[in-house]
């Protein structure tokens, strides 16, 4: 159990690009990064409006001379300091991720980046290569993947308790954008603008979350081909979709489905992953994150509760309080940031052995998400045809 003891013998000097006062996700990043003492916030370029960003940074306790007007100045000035930052989190619109990530890595910084990592596979491979050359990591914030019960499911599947994996059903379908809310909401407006988000809306913004959770649960499966159809029910969003269905075939003969939507009226969140094997199934739902359904054919349903001693050690190691108390999004993010810090430290020490088997959503996970969206768009734009996963 995590009990407040720092995982490292130091705190990484850390900054942010974006995540200012109007950013909901910025607060989640800071809460997660600072929770275990693994990071200390020292600097940032928090807002596209330099004065507003400086005011916000000061309100966080950041020194005024380390609140920068843009990321270029931020990285250049911090590089001159003996106490300059070692890591940076990027919480900006999608179209800026590639340039900022590349600049951060070139400046010798570790990176935590919002998804999608970039717009296309070519850009993602550039970042992957740059990570290797610079010996720095990129962590991608697939937030709920840090929840303990995701890793309980992973251990159960690896142990063969489900038998041969046959079907994976995934969804992330809420109803909050069933109308053109972007007309009055600036934080939503950029999410449905191709200039800022690239070739997709819900495929990239929503679907990549349960996709990565499923990849975490069943890491050995590889997608062979897929078929996607997508719709723009709010017509002003075209060519971007606000609803999509994807069918997938895996290399072991298993099949998968994905439903992602922002127009599922009445649904609060709707992020679920169900893995079905030849012996049993498991299902996890982010609205009830402390429970994992375990269903053995012919037996009563078992509800596995977070924090209970019958769970795998891997699922208990990152508990923050005993069973019965809820843990959710903030705890899952904190678990990810704890792991990001440990991976950054291991990379700086050249500890290849730790990194070899150390799980976290890394640059390759970011690349896979970008690659999946590209293939979905390619399929949808060719008449919902089956395409080889390339």
């Amino acid at each position: 159990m995590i009990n407040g003891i720092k995982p490292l013998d130091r705190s990484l000097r850390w900054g942010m690009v974006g995540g200012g006062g109007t950013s909901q996700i910025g607060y989640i990043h800071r809460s997660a990064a600072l929770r275990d003492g693994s990071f200390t916030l020292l600097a940032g370029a928090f807002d596209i409006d330099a004065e507003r960003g400086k005011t916000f940074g000061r309100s966080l306790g950041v020194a005024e001379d380390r609140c920068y007007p843009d990321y270029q100045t931020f990285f250049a000035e911090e590089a001159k300091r003996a106490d300059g930052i070692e890591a940076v989190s990027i919480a900006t619109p999608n179209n800026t991720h590639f340039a900022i990530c590349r600049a951060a890595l070139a400046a010798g910084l570790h990176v935590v980046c919002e998804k999608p990592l970039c717009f296309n596979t070519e850009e993602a491979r550039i970042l992957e290569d740059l990570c290797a050359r610079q010996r720095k990591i990129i962590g991608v914030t697939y937030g709920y993947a840090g929840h303990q019960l995701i890793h309980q499911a992973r251990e159960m599947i690896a142990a063969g308790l489900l038998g041969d994996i046959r079907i994976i059903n995934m969804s992330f379908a809420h109803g909050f954008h069933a109308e053109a809310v972007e007309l009055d909401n600036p934080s939503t407006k950029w999410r449905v603008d191709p200039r800022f988000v690239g070739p997709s809306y819900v495929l990239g913004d929503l679907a990549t979350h349960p996709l990565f959770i499923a990849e975490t649960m069943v890491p050995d499966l590889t997608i062979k081909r897929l078929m996607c159809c997508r719709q723009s029910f709010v017509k002003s969003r075209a060519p971007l979709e606000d609803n999509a269905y994807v069918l997938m075939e895996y290399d072991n003969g298993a099949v998968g489905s994905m439903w992602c939507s922002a127009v599922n009226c009445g649904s609060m969140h709707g992020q679920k992953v169900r893995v079905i094997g030849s012996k049993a199934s498991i299902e996890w739902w982010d609205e009830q994150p402390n429970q994992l359904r375990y269903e053995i054919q012919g037996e009563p349903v078992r509800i596995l509760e977070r924090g209970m001693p019958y769970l795998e050690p891997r699922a208990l190691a990152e508990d923050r309080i005993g069973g019965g108390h809820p843990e959710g999004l903030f705890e899952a993010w904190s678990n990810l940031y704890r792991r990001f810090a440990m991976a950054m430290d291991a990379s700086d020490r050249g500890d290849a052995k730790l990194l070899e088997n150390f799980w976290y959503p890394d640059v390759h996970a970011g690349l896979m998400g970008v690659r999946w969206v590209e293939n979905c768009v390619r399929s949808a734009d060719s008449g919902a045809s089956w395409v080889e996963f390339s």
Side-chain angles (χ1 to χ4, degrees):
M1 178 179 288
I2 295 171
N3 59 5
I5 296 174
K6 291 165 62 172
L8 308 175
D9 59 5
R10 65 192 183 104
S11 293
L12 291 160
R13 300 185 301 275
W14 174 63
M16 292 191 73
V17 179
T22 60
S23 168
Q24 177 176 266
I25 205 70
Y27 173 66
I28 297 175
H29 277 276
R30 287 186 294 276
S31 175
L34 301 175
R35 188 166 190 169
D36 295 327
S38 303
F39 296 89
T40 300
L41 180 61
L42 296 175
F46 297 103
D47 200 300
I48 195 169
D49 182 308
E51 284 305 312
R52 190 168 61 193
K54 183 180 291 187
T55 299
F56 180 72
R58 286 200 308 263
S59 73
L60 297 176
V62 176
E64 183 170 332
D65 65 341
R66 299 182 79 171
C67 297
Y68 299 100
D70 52 67
Y71 74 87
Q72 296 95 333
T73 306
F74 178 15
F75 298 160
E77 291 301 313
E78 286 294 307
K80 299 174 183 177
R81 301 179 63 112
D83 64 345
I85 62 164
E86 303 167 88
V88 64
S89 291
I90 300 168
T92 57
N94 302 357
N95 63 318
T96 65
H97 292 176
F98 173 68
I100 302 173
C101 278
R102 183 170 58 177
L105 291 170
L109 300 174
H110 296 290
V111 177
V112 175
C113 187
E114 277 295 318
K115 55 89 203 130
L117 187 57
C118 47
F119 275 0
N120 57 62
T121 301
E122 180 182 358
E123 291 178 342
R125 292 198 188 283
I126 289 171
L127 296 177
E128 190 176 45
D129 291 344
L130 193 52
C131 281
R133 290 203 307 273
Q134 294 290 84
R135 292 178 57 187
K136 300 297 176 183
I137 77 150
I138 290 179
V140 183
T141 50
Y142 291 118
Y144 268 119
H147 196 281
Q148 301 93 301
L149 289 185
I150 303 303
H151 299 273
Q152 172 69 20
R154 179 187 177 107
E155 295 294 320
M156 293 170 67
I157 292 167
L161 296 183
L162 273 63
D164 296 329
I165 302 305
R166 294 173 170 174
I167 303 166
I168 305 177
N169 289 335
M170 297 158 277
S171 66
F172 196 159
H174 67 71
F176 289 102
H177 295 172
E179 298 179 345
V181 295
E182 60 269 21
L183 298 179
D184 300 313
N185 187 334
S187 67
T188 303
K189 186 174 183 179
W190 68 263
R191 295 180 184 276
V192 296
D193 187 334
R195 295 173 300 172
F196 294 97
V197 298
S200 78
Y201 168 31
V202 295
L203 285 164
D205 194 47
L206 302 182
T208 52
H209 282 287
L211 180 74
F212 182 71
I213 287 173
E215 290 173 352
T216 298
M217 289 180 174
V218 197
D220 295 332
L221 288 190
T222 300
I223 300 170
K224 284 181 59 180
R225 64 178 191 149
L226 59 76
M227 178 177 67
C228 174
C229 66
R230 57 179 183 162
Q231 300 78 36
S232 308
F233 284 109
V234 178
K235 299 304 180 184
S236 59
R237 292 173 183 158
L240 301 186
E241 78 291 338
D242 50 24
N243 190 82
Y245 297 93
V246 186
L247 297 178
M248 290 165 277
E249 293 180 351
Y250 294 94
D251 59 350
N252 74 332
V255 295
S257 66
M258 173 75 74
W259 175 33
C260 56
S261 182
V263 296
N264 181 20
C265 289
S267 172
M268 290 297 294
H269 224 217
Q271 182 178 196
K272 289 185 180 181
V273 176
R274 182 176 178 85
V275 181
I276 302 166
S278 58
K279 298 178 181 178
S281 303
I282 54 173
E283 181 174 295
W284 182 84
W285 179 21
D286 73 352
E287 293 181 39
Q288 297 176 358
N290 293 273
Q291 297 183 335
L292 181 70
R293 289 179 65 92
Y294 178 35
E295 305 170 9
I296 302 173
Q297 181 61 31
E299 298 185 13
V301 172
R302 294 163 169 81
I303 303 296
L304 307 184
E305 296 278 357
R306 185 206 62 77
M308 296 305 293
Y310 52 71
L311 299 179
E312 297 289 335
R314 174 69 181 85
L316 295 170
E318 290 176 316
D319 280 335
R320 294 171 179 272
I321 197 169
H325 301 283
E327 292 192 13
L329 181 68
F330 281 86
E331 289 78 17
W333 273 69
S334 298
N335 292 345
L336 286 188
Y337 260 95
R338 184 182 181 91
R339 287 185 160 265
F340 293 154
M342 294 169 70
M344 292 171 185
D345 179 68
S347 179
D348 288 344
R349 292 186 289 102
D351 189 347
K353 185 175 181 181
L354 183 146
L355 290 172
E356 184 178 352
N357 296 307
F358 189 74
W359 178 90
Y360 66 97
D362 61 6
V363 66
H364 183 68
L367 185 155
M368 288 301 294
V370 171
R371 185 179 166 201
W372 185 82
V373 171
E374 277 187 335
N375 279 276
C376 289
V377 171
R378 181 162 63 95
S379 169
D381 290 354
S382 61
S385 62
W386 283 97
V387 299
E388 297 298 314
F389 194 74
S390 61

